[in-house]
Amino acid sequence: PSKEDACSHTPIKVRGIHTYMCVPEEAYAAAVRSIFSNADYSGAATRYKNPQECWTRFEALLDRLGRPGAALHVVHIAGTNGKGTTSALCEAMLRESGVRVGLFTSPHLHCFRERIRIDGALVSREAVVAGMARVSAAAEAVGGASPFEKLTALALLCFDAAGVSWAVLETGLGGRWDATNHFSPRVCGVTRVGLDHVNVLGSTVREIAGEKAGILKRGVPAFSVAQAADAAEVLRAAAAAAGTSLTTEESMPPLEASLPAGAAPPAWLSPPHQAA
């Protein structure tokens, strides 16, 4: 845990009420350690070694926990580049619309609790400790869980406990067999697909796109940024096979079309560092 995580008092917001909960530092540190206790840093991605077995085990874990997140409206984001930013933008738009929303992304930059946010705020240390007590017991009962599976289950428990109605979930690796793919979302998004985790997902953009496209589901509208030809072809075919629509950046109306006549796009949409 980072220095920020080691603070002794963490502000939390429960059902609109701000309060402070004191969580022993060691209890929080132990909860975080338990998540990564079986981490494999070789890059082999255990879930992809025996994907169906891991999929079934995680389903059992969710059952053991009472199917957390089952009532959530989910926005599911996959891709190689930009999926964290896209997830954060979706969360900000939902929050601005007035709904309560959770955000699950990885990895964290400064503080472990960045991975799980409730209405824009870092999840409390108290929620991490309480959630991991349940996840650890459930994981032991079903024969184990990978660090990302434990993280996903923890995020869902935290979202349910906080009472959010929407959740934005960023895939951890690929999409098809990802722990975040055990739900029926309201909408899916695919950011730019490129070469990533080639030892697990495949050695070509086409193969990797096929794994990312695994999040597309029947009747769930999907959106994609402009893709390389191979990735675009795979995504279109996957959408057709899933029986869903796929709206690509090329087919979207220009931003100006949604603005009042003569109005210019806000400056923050065209920052200087992105100028051609």
Side-chain angles (χ1 to χ4, degrees):
S2 68
K3 182 180 291 185
E4 179 183 352
D5 281 330
C7 62
S8 59
H9 293 80
T10 301
I12 64 173
K13 186 177 182 181
V14 180
R15 305 288 182 175
I17 301 174
H18 286 279
T19 185
Y20 281 79
M21 295 292 291
C22 182
V23 177
E25 179 180 337
E26 180 53 35
Y28 172 71
V32 175
R33 283 197 300 269
S34 70
I35 296 172
F36 300 102
S37 60
N38 59 330
D40 178 1
Y41 297 104
S42 69
T46 303
R47 175 166 268 244
Y48 274 75
K49 289 180 179 178
N50 302 289
Q52 188 59 61
E53 177 183 332
C54 292
W55 182 277
T56 302
R57 186 186 64 197
F58 190 62
E59 280 289 310
L61 178 66
L62 293 175
D63 286 339
R64 193 88 181 183
L65 292 170
R67 304 303 296 188
L72 290 172
H73 301 297
V74 172
V75 178
H76 200 192
I77 306 295
T80 300
N81 303 116
K83 63 181 184 292
T85 299
T86 301
S87 297
L89 288 170
C90 289
E91 186 274 343
M93 288 187 286
L94 284 166
R95 185 157 34 92
E96 186 65 22
S97 76
V99 301
R100 301 202 59 208
V101 58
L103 174 64
F104 177 50
T105 59
S106 60
H108 62 275
L109 182 59
H110 299 293
C111 168
F112 167 80
R113 293 181 292 125
E114 293 169 4
R115 294 171 179 254
I116 304 171
R117 295 178 183 263
I118 310 292
D119 295 329
L122 304 184
V123 67
S124 71
R125 296 166 73 240
E126 185 264 349
V128 171
V129 172
M132 278 310 301
R134 293 185 60 192
V135 171
S136 295
E140 183 176 359
V142 302
S146 72
F148 192 73
E149 289 167 347
K150 287 182 277 189
L151 279 166
T152 304
L154 173 63
L156 296 171
L157 287 174
C158 290
F159 294 159
D160 279 1
V164 302
S165 56
W166 283 80
V168 181
L169 306 180
E170 176 196 5
T171 58
L173 176 65
R176 183 188 311 277
W177 298 107
D178 196 73
T180 61
N181 201 30
H182 287 250
F183 311 92
S184 181
R186 295 296 297 272
V187 64
C188 294
V190 182
T191 66
R192 186 74 172 181
V193 176
L195 295 176
D196 67 321
H197 301 287
V198 294
N199 61 319
V200 177
L201 301 179
S203 59
T204 67
V205 169
R206 178 177 291 275
E207 291 175 321
I208 294 171
E211 293 300 320
K212 312 286 187 184
I215 71 168
L216 304 186
K217 297 175 177 65
R218 179 171 298 278
V220 178
F223 295 83
S224 171
V225 301
Q227 301 283 357
D230 282 355
E233 181 181 342
V234 169
L235 290 175
R236 286 194 299 268
T244 190
S245 62
L246 176 66
T247 303
T248 62
E249 184 179 352
E250 297 95 328
S251 62
M252 296 178 190
L255 174 64
E256 290 74 10
S258 64
L259 299 172
W268 59 267
L269 281 176
S270 302
H273 70 277
Q274 291 186 347

